[in-house]
C-alpha cells in the first residue's frame, strides 16, 4: 500500500515507506525547496542533533565527543520526470508488491531515507555522525550544494570517513575514477569537392587519431586494494561545412576515465603522449578519489556490510570528500543501472538491508 502523500516526514516509520513519502515530494534539480523544508522540519524535532540549513542543503550532526566522526551524505534532487506515457518511474510513487517505483527511487531517495532513519534512531552512535542532504547534484558542478557547503561551512565536512549513499546494490564501492575531456583538432584546407586535390581533408586526417584510440589498451590500476579499470574513447566528432566543400577543420572530443592514482594533470600528459603530433586541448577535468579502505572506520564498515568492496568506475561526489582529505566510499540501495530510467524502482528489502548494515556499523 502506498503511503499518503504528505509534507510531514515520520522518521520512525518503515524506511521503505519513508522512501515513498520522499518520492511523493517532487524535487527535480532547482525545485528542492519543498523536500528540504520537510527534511529540515523533521530533523529539528530531534533534540540530539545540531541542524543548519544553507539554501536547500540541510545538515545535521551529533556532538558526543566520540574519537571518530563520519559523514553520511546524499543529494535530494532528481533528474526531470519521464515524459513517456505509462512510465512508472515518476511522481507520485507507486508500489508493485514490494517494489517501489518513482523518480529518485534509486538515485537516490532510498539512500536519503536511510540517512533520515539513522538520524532519528541513533541517539548514541558509536561514532559522531554528520548528515548532509544537499541540492543540485544532477546539474553542472558549479551549482552543487555540496560544493557550496565546502566553501561556506568547511567545518561541517571535517571527518575521518564519509559514505555517499549513491545506489550500489548494497555493495561498498570505494573511491571513484577521475574524468577528463579533450578536444583534438585536425586542420585541413578548404577546396571545392570537385577539385579535392587543391585542399586537405581534415575529416580524413582524423583517421589516425581514431586508429590510435581504437588500438589503445586501457589500463587496470590497483589502488588501495581495488582494481580500477580505465577507459579512453572518442565520444563526439564534428567537421565539415557543406556537401561540396572539402572540410578544413575536424574536432574529436575524447573522454578519459582515469584511475584515482593519477591527477588530472597526469591524465592530460598521458593523453597528449598517446596523441602526440595532434592539437590537444583539455576542456574539463575532475580528479578521482582513492577509497581509503585501510582506515579503521572504513575497515569496520566493510566488515559490517559483509561483502567484498568494488571500485567505482564512474565519477561521484566522493571525489569532493577525497579532495578535502576525507576518504569516502559509495554505498546505497538500488541498482545504479536503473537511475534516470522511465521505470526507476527499488525493492523495499534493499532499502532495509542498507539501513541494517549502517546500524550495525554505527551502533
Amino acid at each position: 500500500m502506498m503511503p499518503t502523500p504528505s509534507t510531514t516526514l515520520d522518521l520512525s516509520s518503515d524506511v521503505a515507506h519513508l522512501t515513498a513519502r520522499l518520492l511523493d515530494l517532487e524535487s527535480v534539480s532547482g525545485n528542492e525547496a519543498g523536500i528540504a523544508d520537510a527534511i529540515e522540519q523533521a530533523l529539528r524535532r530531534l533534540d540530539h542533533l545540531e541542524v543548519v540549513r544553507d539554501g536547500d542543503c540541510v545538515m545535521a550532526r551529533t556532538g558526543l565527543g566520540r574519537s571518530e566522526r563520519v559523514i553520511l551524505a546524499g543529494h535530494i534532487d532528481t533528474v526531470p520526470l519521464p515524459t513517456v506515457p505509462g512510465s512508472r518511474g515518476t511522481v507520485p510513487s507507486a508500489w508493485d508488491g514490494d517494489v517501489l517505483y518513482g523518480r529518485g527511487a534509486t538515485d537516490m531517495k532510498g539512500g536519503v531515507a536511510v540517512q533520515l532513519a539513522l538520524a532519528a534512531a541513533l541517539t548514541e552512535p558509536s561514532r559522531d555522525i554528520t548528515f548532509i542532504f544537499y541540492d543540485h547534484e544532477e546539474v553542472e558542478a558549479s551549482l552543487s550544494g555540496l560544493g557550496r557547503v565546502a566553501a561556506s561551512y568547511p567545518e561541517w565536512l571535517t571527518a575521518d570517513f564519509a559514505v555517499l549513499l549513491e545506489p550500489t546494490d548494497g555493495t561498498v564501492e570505494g573511491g571513484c575514477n577521475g574524468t577528463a575531456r579533450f578536444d583534438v583538432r585536425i586542420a585541413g584546407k578548404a577546396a571545392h569537392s570537385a577539385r579535392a586535390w587543391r585542399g586537405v581533408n581534415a575529416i580524413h586526417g582524423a583517421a589516425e587519431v581514431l586508429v590510435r584510440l581504437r588500438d589503445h589498451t586501457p589500463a587496470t590500476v590497483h589502488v588501495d586494494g581495488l582494481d580500477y579499470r580505465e577507459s579512453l574513447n572518442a565520444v563526439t566528432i564534428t567537421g565539415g561545412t557543406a556537401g561540396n566543400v572539402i572540410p578544413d577543420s575536424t574536432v574529436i572530443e575524447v573522454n578519459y576515465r582515469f584511475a584515482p592514482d593519477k591527477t588530472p594533470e597526469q591524465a592530460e600528459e598521458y593523453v597528449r603522449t598517446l596523441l602526440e603530433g595532434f592539437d590537444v586541448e583539455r576542456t574539463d577535468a575532475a580528479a578521482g578519489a582513492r577509497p581509503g579502505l585501510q582506515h579503521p572506520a572504513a575497515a569496520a564498515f566493510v566488515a559490517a556490510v559483509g561483502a567484498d568492496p568494488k571500485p567505482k568506475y564512474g565519477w561521484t561526489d566522493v571525489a569532493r570528500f577525497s579532495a578535502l582529505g576525507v576518504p569516502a566510499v559509495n554505498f546505497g540501495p538500488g541498482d545504479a543501472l536503473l537511475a534516470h530510467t522511465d521505470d526507476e524502482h527499488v525493492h523495499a528489502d534493499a532499502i532495509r538491508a542498507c539501513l541494517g548494515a549502517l546500524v550495525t556499523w554505527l551502533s
Side-chain angles (χ1 to χ4, degrees), residues 5-41:
S6 171
T7 56
T8 300
L9 300 176
D10 180 3
L11 304 191
S12 65
S13 64
D14 175 77
V15 69
H17 285 182
L18 177 57
T19 301
R21 289 186 180 268
L22 293 171
L23 293 179
D24 293 338
L25 299 175
E26 185 266 300
S27 58
V28 173
S29 301
N31 192 39
E32 298 99 326
I35 194 171
D37 289 344
I39 290 172
E40 180 185 11
Q41 291 165 13

Side-chain angles (χ1 to χ4, degrees), residues 82 86-90 99-103 105-106 337-346:
S87 298
R88 294 198 288 179
T90 184
V99 178
L100 178 61
Y101 287 80
R103 176 58 82 222
T106 56
L337 295 179
L338 296 172
H340 305 181
T341 64
D342 288 348
D343 67 340
E344 187 174 357
H345 60 272
V346 64

Side-chain angles (χ1 to χ4, degrees), residues 228-306:
Y228 290 85
R229 184 174 178 176
E230 298 189 334
S231 62
L232 180 63
N233 292 280
V235 290
T236 67
I237 184 168
T238 58
T241 58
N244 60 351
V245 178
I246 298 301
D248 63 354
S249 177
T250 297
V251 179
I252 302 172
E253 184 179 27
V254 174
N255 180 220
Y256 181 26
R257 300 287 178 146
F258 55 91
D261 67 324
K262 298 180 181 67
T263 65
E265 291 71 28
Q266 289 170 327
E268 179 177 355
E269 182 60 29
Y270 184 86
V271 172
R272 288 187 180 280
T273 299
L274 179 68
L275 300 180
E276 185 177 3
F278 291 94
D279 179 8
V280 177
E281 177 189 5
R282 191 179 88 187
T283 59
D284 186 37
R290 304 181 77 99
L293 295 177
Q294 297 87 348
H295 191 281
F301 178 55
V302 170
V305 173

Side-chain angles (χ1 to χ4, degrees), residues 151-297:
S152 301
Y153 294 87
E155 70 279 8
W156 277 80
L157 298 184
T158 299
D160 299 287
F161 183 61
V163 177
L164 186 65
L165 280 94
E166 290 278 3
T168 64
D169 249 353
T171 298
V172 175
E173 293 185 346
C176 68
N177 275 339
T179 181
R181 289 184 296 174
F182 304 86
D183 280 347
V184 184
R185 292 185 171 85
I186 298 94
K189 179 181 178 183
H192 196 293
S193 61
R195 294 176 289 278
W197 61 88
R198 295 181 63 87
V200 177
N201 194 312
I203 292 179
H204 293 179
E208 177 61 26
V209 174
L210 299 176
V211 166
R212 292 189 197 180
L213 292 172
R214 183 199 64 189
D215 294 344
H216 173 261
T217 301
T220 296
V221 184
H222 193 73
V223 182
D224 295 350
L226 298 178
D227 290 328
Y228 290 85
R229 184 174 178 176
E230 298 189 334
S231 62
L232 180 63
N233 292 280
V235 290
T236 67
I237 184 168
T238 58
T241 58
N244 60 351
V245 178
I246 298 301
D248 63 354
S249 177
T250 297
V251 179
I252 302 172
E253 184 179 27
V254 174
N255 180 220
Y256 181 26
R257 300 287 178 146
F258 55 91
D261 67 324
K262 298 180 181 67
T263 65
E265 291 71 28
Q266 289 170 327
E268 179 177 355
E269 182 60 29
Y270 184 86
V271 172
R272 288 187 180 280
T273 299
L274 179 68
L275 300 180
E276 185 177 3
F278 291 94
D279 179 8
V280 177
E281 177 189 5
R282 191 179 88 187
T283 59
D284 186 37
R290 304 181 77 99
L293 295 177
Q294 297 87 348
H295 191 281

Side-chain angles (χ1 to χ4, degrees), residues 48 72 113-123 131 355 358-359 362:
H48 63 284
L72 302 182
V114 169
Q115 290 177 263
L116 290 168
L118 290 167
L122 297 181
T123 58
F131 300 92
L355 175 63
L358 286 163
V359 167
L362 294 167

Side-chain angles (χ1 to χ4, degrees), residues 75-151:
H75 63 84
I76 60 176
D77 63 323
T78 72
V79 296
L81 306 184
T83 58
V84 177
S87 298
R88 294 198 288 179
T90 184
V91 174
S93 61
W95 287 95
D96 185 352
D98 289 331
V99 178
L100 178 61
Y101 287 80
R103 176 58 82 222
T106 56
D107 192 12
M108 54 172 293
K109 290 187 178 180
V112 170
V114 169
Q115 290 177 263
L116 290 168
L118 290 167
L122 297 181
T123 58
E124 293 284 336
S126 60
R127 298 169 172 85
D128 270 313
I129 309 172
T130 300
F131 300 92
I132 308 289
F133 304 87
Y134 62 99
D135 57 290
H136 286 89
E137 190 271 349
E138 298 286 8
V139 290
E140 55 266 35
S142 62
L143 299 176
S144 168
L146 190 60
R148 190 177 65 247
V149 167

